[in-house]
Amino acid sequence: MLKEVHTKNAPEAIGPYSQAIQAGDFLYVSGQIGIDPSSGEVVEGIEAQTKQVMDNLKSILAEADTNFSHVAKFTIFINDMNNFSTVNELYGSYLEKPYPARATVEVSRLPKDVLVEMDVVVYTKEERELI
């Protein structure tokens, strides 16, 4: 069964997709960019955009009653690998060990010409069943 997750504390989708979809024990959060949900505008600079992306993700996770500690996988898209260390440092400040798996990819262009976009996959089941 699929369930849409939506919060007004993160930007509205800018296309035909949901902010997140709960599918069984997993939550799939769509790519988030540095849009301030209160203004609808893209924030300026790699640091501000990275923080806004993480805050947007955090808001969506909170709406689904979860948090970064349950994220199994991050995918980070950046338009310039020279920004990797800045993004990595800010991203890491939101997380604790054990860190999720991650892929970081440089891309030629992102929606609204932002500098960074991230999506996550979250494992939401509280306890694993014994096999």
Side-chain angles (χ1 to χ4, degrees), residues 44-115:
E44 295 290 322
I46 190 64
E47 292 173 355
Q49 285 188 23
T50 302
K51 288 177 186 176
Q52 189 65 60
V53 166
M54 294 299 289
D55 288 342
N56 292 344
L57 289 169
K58 185 176 180 180
S59 293
I60 294 168
L61 296 178
E63 184 67 25
D65 294 323
T66 190
N67 56 54
F68 287 126
S69 70
H70 294 112
V71 173
K73 174 79 168 33
F74 262 86
T75 306
I76 302 174
F77 304 93
I78 57 178
N79 76 336
D80 184 349
M81 200 55 83
N82 290 320
N83 289 326
F84 177 83
S85 61
T86 300
V87 170
N88 194 52
E89 182 178 331
L90 292 167
Y91 152 91
S93 72
Y94 284 78
L95 305 174
E96 295 178 2
K97 288 184 178 183
Y99 299 122
R102 182 181 81 187
T104 304
V105 181
E106 182 181 74
V107 296
S108 63
R109 193 167 181 206
L110 291 163
K112 297 189 175 277
D113 292 317
V114 296
L115 308 173

Side-chain angles (χ1 to χ4, degrees), residues 8-27:
K8 293 192 182 298
N9 296 324
E12 295 292 330
I14 56 175
Y17 61 90
S18 300
Q19 288 176 335
I21 291 290
Q22 182 79 45
D25 294 334
F26 290 91
L27 178 71

